[in-house]
Amino acid sequence: MRMYDIIYKKRFGGELTREEIDFAINGFVSGEIPDYQMSALAMAICMQDMTDAETFYLTDAMMRSGEIVNLDRFDGLCVDKHSTGGVGDKTTLIIAPIVASLGARVAKMSGRGLGFTGGTVDKLESFEGFKAELSAEQFFEQVEKIGLAVVGQSGNLVPADKKLYALRDVTATVDSIPLIASSIMSKKLASGAHSIVLDVKCGDGAFMKDEKSAVLLAKTMISIGKSFSRNVRALVTNMDTPLGVAVGNSLEAYEAIQILSGKGDNELRALCVALASNMASMALDISIDEAQGRVIDAIDTGRALERLRAWIVAQGGDDSAISNPDMLLSAPFKREYKASADGYICKMRAQEVGVASMLLGAGRAKKGDTIDHLSGIMLSAKYGDYVKKGDTIATLYASSESLFDEAERVLNRAIDYSQKPPIKRPIIIKSL
Ligand code: URA
């Protein structure tokens, strides 16, 4: 078999066999197939798409490229959640303790930020001392004891995706449905959960800009999950504007505590309740209505917040912020960002807000950059709100005054005003 022939076949829309896909992935991971040939194949896939069978073979080959975690010891109670990525997405910090407090198990591997915002692990490290590296034994013991653990992604989990994503990122081949679906599902399947809830983001700040492609991505991932005998559900959710009001690691940890205290942004709460209800419904085999009642009760009684505390402590973190969340808002410098006109906020582009937050220090401009956990943006007005010129729209947090001007310039590009109220899409666009 020759990689050249596989690329040529896909270039003209041929359907690749399982053997051809295994050959390409195995050869790429072992180093026998060079980056330039794999990039050419990725581009051909972007242009010609893949059939369901090809997408399944690709996912399977990627999943088998490294370690596969077995969570069978938890009797089918393990449930995972994945978001396709968005600005201000702190949902794992909120829903993992909720569902663990209901008796489900969350044994999760999570990444650091890929793009301009921090990842779940970065957000958790806002709690001083939090350790994202646990031995396998510590990880399983913690899941047994408190129902949840989140660790940084192990180097040996789906190495094919690590290598391929790095190529896609620099060859304009990220936004292809079979490539995204196989990338996400290979990691979810290798991480071992019995049930998976997918939060497929749709809109300006997401890979999928329109509802049709977001639904197609969701359906593709559900069908891959079914082929591997996993329960998978998906919510297609709005990512035109940042999720909630906080963007930046410790600010998002603050917002997570707010939601678990029964306060905070209504849309973020609604999304978290929906995601957690789907997770609990699948893991505990109960109806979605029953699950939703239990989720709301876990928040109202404070049990979910206490589970967050137990989680932070179990992974070596300082839990004082749970009782005193204001300490998470203690960046040395703050500046208010003001409205430049009267009107309704009719655009608050998620991606630009993410870039502004990164410029303040909350994200990585390139791999390996260090993150300033205390920096970021706290919104006080959101999409659809009416503001007057000079009203505060956001508070910017940073370690140095010198970082504010450029972040403000990016925010100027992020926000538009209109005289008529804009049409609002619901946070949950579709449940599948
Ligand atoms: N997230 C992933 O893990 N992979 C993709 O290809 C896109 C988003």
Side-chain angles (χ1 to χ4, degrees):
M1 221 177 267
R2 291 194 317 157
M3 186 64 172
Y4 178 95
D5 300 325
I6 295 172
I7 299 166
Y8 195 84
K9 183 174 176 186
K10 186 43 68 191
R11 177 183 159 195
F12 291 100
E15 182 171 13
L16 301 181
T17 62
R18 176 171 223 150
E19 291 68 32
E20 286 166 332
I21 290 173
D22 281 352
F23 177 85
I25 294 297
N26 296 341
F28 177 55
V29 173
S30 69
E32 281 151 56
I33 290 173
D35 287 359
Y36 50 82
Q37 283 193 309
M38 198 63 204
S39 308
L41 182 61
M43 184 58 83
I45 293 170
C46 282
M47 307 304 289
Q48 294 290 355
D49 210 354
M50 280 185 135
T51 62
D52 288 350
E54 285 176 298
T55 310
F56 168 75
Y57 299 144
L58 178 59
T59 310
D60 191 40
M62 303 232 294
M63 179 190 80
R64 286 185 285 100
S65 68
E67 179 191 344
I68 294 180
V69 180
N70 187 326
L71 296 175
D72 287 349
R73 71 184 80 188
F74 297 113
D75 296 332
L77 287 171
C78 277
V79 59
D80 200 354
K81 163 258 162 189
H82 183 85
S83 153
T84 58
V87 176
D89 190 342
K90 67 285 290 173
T91 52
T92 298
L93 271 63
I94 301 167
I95 61 191
I98 296 177
V99 300
S101 79
L102 299 178
R105 309 293 172 106
V106 182
K108 191 168 169 56
M109 309 219 175
S110 222
R112 291 182 189 276
L114 274 182
F116 32 72
T117 60
T120 296
V121 166
D122 298 306
K123 292 167 198 184
L124 286 164
E125 285 173 349
S126 302
F127 296 97
E128 197 148 345
F130 186 94
K131 281 196 302 287
E133 285 81 38
L134 299 178
S135 68
E137 203 178 310
Q138 288 169 322
F139 178 69
F140 290 127
E141 213 171 89
Q142 187 179 314
V143 175
E144 192 66 70
K145 211 160 143 203
I146 63 162
L148 81 165
V150 172
V151 289
Q153 210 149 295
S154 120
N156 200 29
L157 196 88
V158 195
D161 180 63
K162 210 171 220 174
K163 257 189 115 176
L164 181 54
Y165 195 90
L167 278 191
R168 289 167 56 212
D169 211 18
V170 292
T171 55
T173 52
V174 169
D175 52 351
S176 142
I177 287 179
L179 292 180
I180 296 178
S182 55
S183 160
I184 292 175
M185 290 307 290
S186 59
K187 286 177 288 196
K188 292 291 112 183
L189 294 164
S191 315
H194 313 104
S195 310
I196 302 158
V197 175
L198 301 165
D199 180 359
V200 180
K201 304 289 188 193
C202 167
D204 177 72
F207 290 119
M208 299 293 119
K209 305 288 178 211
D210 60 86
E211 185 177 329
K212 195 166 157 228
S213 39
V215 168
L216 184 58
L217 175 61
K219 286 187 172 163
T220 306
M221 292 195 286
I222 291 173
S223 131
I224 294 172
K226 282 206 178 118
S227 311
F228 286 90
S229 309
R230 308 292 168 99
N231 291 319
V232 186
R233 290 187 197 162
L235 300 181
V236 173
T237 70
N238 186 10
M239 188 35 75
D240 284 327
T241 68
L243 181 59
V245 293
V247 183
N249 303 287
S250 68
L251 313 190
E252 294 189 41
Y254 171 91
E255 191 175 17
I257 295 168
Q258 293 295 103
I259 297 289
L260 289 175
S261 308
K263 300 181 236 170
D265 180 73
N266 288 336
E267 283 188 337
L268 174 61
R269 177 184 160 101
L271 175 59
C272 289
V273 168
L275 290 168
S277 303
N278 275 289
M279 290 169 80
S281 151
M282 285 197 288
L284 306 174
D285 199 17
I286 55 177
S287 74
I288 188 86
D289 287 347
E290 164 88 38
Q292 184 169 317
R294 293 193 201 179
V295 164
I296 290 171
D297 192 56
I299 299 174
D300 289 350
T301 56
R303 280 201 308 274
L305 183 64
E306 283 316 304
R307 194 57 63 109
L308 172 65
R309 184 194 296 280
W311 176 21
I312 302 301
V313 170
Q315 292 193 224
D318 174 5
D319 68 336
S320 355
I322 305 282
S323 312
N324 180 19
D326 283 353
M327 64 191 276
L328 294 164
L329 306 180
S330 56
F333 295 95
K334 294 177 196 163
R335 183 188 284 184
E336 296 199 340
Y337 175 81
K338 313 257 186 198
S340 59
D342 292 355
Y344 292 94
I345 298 178
C346 65
K347 285 268 183 228
M348 188 179 267
R349 297 176 182 86
Q351 196 149 334
E352 304 281 19
V353 178
V355 171
S357 165
M358 185 262 285
L359 292 170
L360 292 169
R364 295 181 179 84
K366 57 183 190 318
K367 211 173 150 197
D369 279 359
T370 52
I371 272 196
D372 169 17
H373 286 93
L374 291 172
S375 65
I377 298 171
M378 189 67 86
L379 300 168
S380 34
K382 289 203 63 182
Y383 176 88
D385 287 349
Y386 185 82
V387 289
K388 285 200 154 306
K389 187 173 175 181
D391 284 353
T392 299
I393 291 188
T395 306
L396 316 187
Y397 293 75
S399 62
S400 156
E401 291 257 28
S402 65
L403 298 169
F404 289 131
D405 288 351
E406 201 184 345
E408 281 195 331
R409 275 195 288 279
V410 175
L411 279 180
N412 289 341
R413 290 202 304 266
I415 298 170
D416 291 345
Y417 306 87
S418 67
Q419 290 320 304
K420 277 207 248 154
I423 295 166
K424 257 187 146 170
R425 273 211 282 198
I427 182 77
I428 296 166
I429 298 169
K430 228 177 194 124
S431 301
L432 296 158

